[in-house]
Amino acid sequence: MKPNLFFFLILISSFLFGQQAQPKVGLVLSGGGAKGFAHIAVLKEIDKAGLQIDYIGGTSMGAIIGGLYAAGYSANQIEEIVLNTDFVKLLRDKLPRNTATFFEKEFEEKTSVTLPVNKGSVGLPKAISKGQNVLNLLLELFESTEEITDFSKLPIPFFCIATDVENGAEVIIEKGSMPIALRASGSFPTLLNPVVIDDKLLVDGGVANNFPITIMKSKGMDIIIGVDVEGRLFDKDKLTSAIAILNQIVSYQMYQNSEKEKEQLDVYIHPDIFDYTIVDFDKKIEILEKGTIEAEKFREVFKEIAKKQTIKKEKKTAKIHQQKKVISTIDLQGLQKYTRAYVLGKLNIREGDSLSRKAISDKLQLLFATKNYDRITYSFDKKEDEQYQLKFSVKESKDNATVSLGAHYDLLYKSGLLVNYKQKNLLLKNDLFSLDAVLGDNLRYNLNYFVDNGFYISYGFRSRYDHFRANSKYNPVVSQNPTLNAINLNYTDITNQFFLQTTFNRQFAIGLGAEHKFIKVRTETVLLNNQNLIIDDSNYFNLFGYVKLDTYDQKYFVTKGYFADFNVKWYVASSDFNQNFKQFAQAKGTLGFATTFGERFTFQMNNEAGFTFNSTGSNIFDFYLGGYNQNYVNTFVSLYGYDFAELSDKSFVKSEFTFRYRFLENHYASIIANYARLDSNVFKDITLFDNIQSGYAVGYSYNSMIGPIELKYSWSPDTKQRYWLFNLGFWF
């Protein structure tokens, strides 16, 4: 309805209302995704006019904006919340790497596609995001109304609309948890997972009723203001994405129903936001400006309505509280497959802690990062002693199995396709079974079974089969055959480990265990009795211990953090193919850090050292340096400027310095310098800097969705050798 026509109606109604009770004013806010930010501009004009809203109803983004207003937030507060929120990050459930479990940091981060497995069949994810980040924010924002479960008892009575997935019917939500209700109303298909409320699977209310004016009319409102941020159907040339096509399909019925609803409005406001889409969250300032242009046209209308509201209610205000609360007890509800110790261990919360809502949201990320939960909510229950009971309710995911895919190519292992199968709760609570099968030029597998007991000692079993062939300057053979430049090395490793482990804050791990290792190394270059020369074909039985630290912000292209991996292994017994085995021990350590200057330049340093105690009698476990791979096993170590396994001895020290510059998004240029010293005992005197082997590399890298794609040129002034190096995809 145009503003001038409404002025005329206001003059007539002023006589009709006379001494009657003041008119009740309802506000309806439509859904529209990012376009819903325009609602805020209308609310700002309503606040300026002193107009009192008696009931609010909304759908999707309209429900979220309207819900905040109903809870007591002013329009200016809501605008500040929107401007300070990264909605793209929020909707993607993107979590920083420090929320990942130590297991994930060590054994995952190497696939690009993950699909759920249900009853033996591979399916597709329900949506891009489970929406836990959205829910966390809503739980913070609605702290002041947490105890209100009847929305008519809010500072401004409220309802929102969702859609029942089973039958497409509208569902009016007026009771329960406000954050969960809003999360359900805004569950746009493919973007956010559906939400279960009262045994109904709910998605975005816009599918069934995007502009619920009839429902507002039934609340006894005399004047209804409707703010419409719906778009319009697009031409076929603009339907260029899955989201755009789905939005078009959803919109058919939405627009048809909305036209009928609009006929009941007294004030109809429709900002000019037709050029924006539901996912234009990065254009929120522009959308707010469009809303302001349209809202200002109704300034006088709002003032005229406000004049009729002679009885003014005291307006309750809301704000985000960040004060800490002392937790006296912790109640966990919904536990089935995972124990209390597991949940509290991941949350890193103990009774007696003092926490703010923001701190709890951060800790919820730690639990949600396990991918074992569809939804996690919490509430506070105040006790008489000014302390609180913290109540968590978890909804465990039914998707216990996944299949993930990755691809890789490098010059040692050649091509490889990784198929990872992961199954949770296979045998015990808290357990995880993970199997990597690598298909390609060199067949490999990695099997992990891990029981994660949170605060308590965890344990597991690992098994690995690794195999590669290489034209290599493998020192044990080449050094004994001066006429050879290189040999065709055929290397097989089968390792099985049982271990105990405990972790701290997802960054630090300590473990110990027992190991069986089978090594077979042979070459076709040198023949013995007309057969391939077998360098080793032995079983080894070992004990080991390790300490690890990982605070790197990324697996690849690190910009900050520290990394450490120190391990000691005692070789106790062997089947002794060469009949020269003696018990010995080895220690090997890695220490690295990275820091970034400005936003683009990163310096990363990595130091490694290895030492062999006692005489081994065999050189199969000497340290072998050379090449550039990041997936070496056993005692192989990379060293730019040298061929794979070209250098070897009983001990070594190595430092690598990387200078990396990000010149475009995901594009990097790097300069690498590394230096190493090898000896039977590099620590026997203070001449660490004698006989240094040096190598250098320059390269280009691209951080793609399948992992790093890198082309490097390396050389060593010591040997005058030069190498082109290439790898594609995550390392495994």
Side-chain angles (χ1 to χ4, degrees), residues 477 487-490 521-526 532-535:
V477 178
I487 63 169
N488 293 321
L489 180 68
N490 194 316
V521 184
R522 58 191 176 89
T523 178
E524 299 174 359
T525 307
V526 179
N532 297 342
L533 174 64
I534 298 178
I535 302 168

Side-chain angles (χ1 to χ4, degrees), residues 149-217:
T149 57
D150 182 347
F151 300 166
S152 67
K153 300 296 191 294
L154 289 166
I156 302 175
F158 173 81
F159 71 86
C160 63
I161 304 297
T163 302
D164 190 330
V165 176
E166 286 190 294
N167 52 34
E170 71 177 18
V171 176
I172 305 171
I173 308 177
E174 300 179 283
K175 295 181 183 296
S177 164
M178 190 73 164
I180 293 177
L182 299 180
R183 169 67 183 81
S185 182
S187 298
F188 188 83
T190 73
L191 280 181
L192 293 172
N193 271 11
V195 174
V196 176
I197 298 179
D198 295 333
D199 206 31
K200 293 180 180 179
L201 188 64
L202 304 179
V203 293
D204 196 295
V207 177
N209 188 351
N210 199 47
F211 212 11
I213 298 162
T214 299
I215 299 170
M216 181 60 76
K217 200 78 174 177

Side-chain angles (χ1 to χ4, degrees), residues 29-77:
L29 306 178
S30 81
K35 295 179 291 183
F37 297 147
H39 290 312
I40 299 171
V42 177
L43 292 175
K44 289 174 73 174
E45 286 298 330
I46 288 174
D47 280 350
K48 290 176 184 177
L51 176 56
Q52 184 172 282
I53 301 299
D54 296 290
Y55 223 115
I56 297 179
T59 297
S60 194
M61 184 61 80
I64 294 172
I65 300 296
L68 290 169
Y69 196 73
Y73 287 98
S74 68
N76 287 331
Q77 286 177 301

Side-chain angles (χ1 to χ4, degrees), residues 600-618:
R600 296 181 178 273
F601 183 78
T602 298
F603 171 69
Q604 184 174 356
M605 182 173 71
N606 198 59
N607 300 293
E608 292 184 71
F611 187 81
T612 304
F613 301 90
N614 305 330
S615 175
T616 63
S618 169

